[in-house]
Amino acid sequence: MNVRISKFILPSLFVLAISTQANAQSRRDTSTKKTTTVTKRTVTTNSNNRTSTTKRVPRSTVTYKKSSRKVVAVRNVPNKRTVSFRGNNYYYANNRYYTYSRGLYIAIAPKVGFRINILPANHRRIRFNNNNYYYTEGVFYIQSNNAYEVVDPEIGTIVYELPDEVEKVVIDGQTYYEYANILYEKVQVDGMRAYEIVGIIEMN
């Protein structure tokens, strides 16, 4: 009698134990907090063979603190200069670039690859990882032959001013600042407030 009971009960207990362990593992997997995946990429540009490592952050993981984005739009831009890039016209005046839409000039940041012959008057030179950058109003340039090209900055670059249109964003509970898809974190450098570049938001 004892032999018959053992043959029936022991396999049943084994199956029950396996099932309980699988359910517990499933609960642990479900309760695990999801974190943002930050992908490091080494990018070589066509300009002076500049090589830099960037951290790409998926746009889906970025939450803007305000539902509406800051937009600067005016009806007139005095003394503007027209700059064409890939079939689109930019209008430059007062250290800003604008696009024209529905009767308004809307301030925008030029895209990566955009080139100009003369730097904006209020630019600042930044030396980082043996590369010279020229920074103004949230836009980074490097010299390329006889022109200046807009580029993505390197992670770790420090700036001391951000544009007025900068937005506060939250990623995994941490607050950052965003402008032109560049993410900044507020830091202290020699007792001064500064902003360190910590990532680039993916366009798609």
Side-chain angles (χ1 to χ4, degrees), residues 156-176:
T157 305
I158 299 290
V159 300
Y160 293 89
E161 297 176 351
L162 294 178
D164 293 337
E165 296 87 353
V166 70
E167 301 275 357
K168 284 187 177 181
V169 300
V170 177
I171 303 173
D172 291 338
Q174 298 293 321
T175 299
Y176 301 95

Side-chain angles (χ1 to χ4, degrees), residues 50 125-128 130-134 141-143:
R50 183 183 69 94
R125 181 175 173 272
I126 298 174
R127 181 79 172 171
F128 187 79
N130 296 319
N131 292 314
N132 286 322
Y133 295 91
Y134 302 93
Y141 304 84
I142 60 168
Q143 188 168 8

Side-chain angles (χ1 to χ4, degrees), residues 9 27-28 41 59 61-62 74 94-95 128 135 160:
I9 292 177
R27 286 195 298 271
R28 283 197 297 271
R41 295 181 183 175
R59 182 168 289 279
T61 64
V62 180
V74 295
N94 301 321
N95 297 316
F128 187 79
Y135 171 80
Y160 293 89

Side-chain angles (χ1 to χ4, degrees), residues 85-124:
F85 175 67
R86 294 178 181 172
N88 296 316
N89 285 335
Y90 290 81
Y91 304 94
Y92 178 76
N94 301 321
N95 297 316
R96 285 179 179 270
Y97 290 95
Y98 299 85
T99 186
Y100 187 75
S101 177
R102 298 180 180 180
L104 293 174
Y105 292 92
I106 303 168
I108 60 171
K111 296 181 179 180
V112 170
F114 178 83
R115 288 190 172 201
I116 54 176
N117 294 324
I118 301 173
L119 285 170
N122 65 338
H123 71 271
R124 294 177 179 268

Side-chain angles (χ1 to χ4, degrees), residues 58-89:
R59 182 168 289 279
S60 60
T61 64
V62 180
T63 302
Y64 286 83
K65 284 202 168 185
K66 293 185 177 180
S67 57
S68 59
R69 304 291 297 274
K70 294 179 183 178
V71 177
V72 174
V74 295
R75 292 199 177 275
N76 295 300
V77 179
N79 303 318
K80 63 182 178 293
R81 178 165 53 92
T82 303
V83 182
S84 296
F85 175 67
R86 294 178 181 172
N88 296 316
N89 285 335

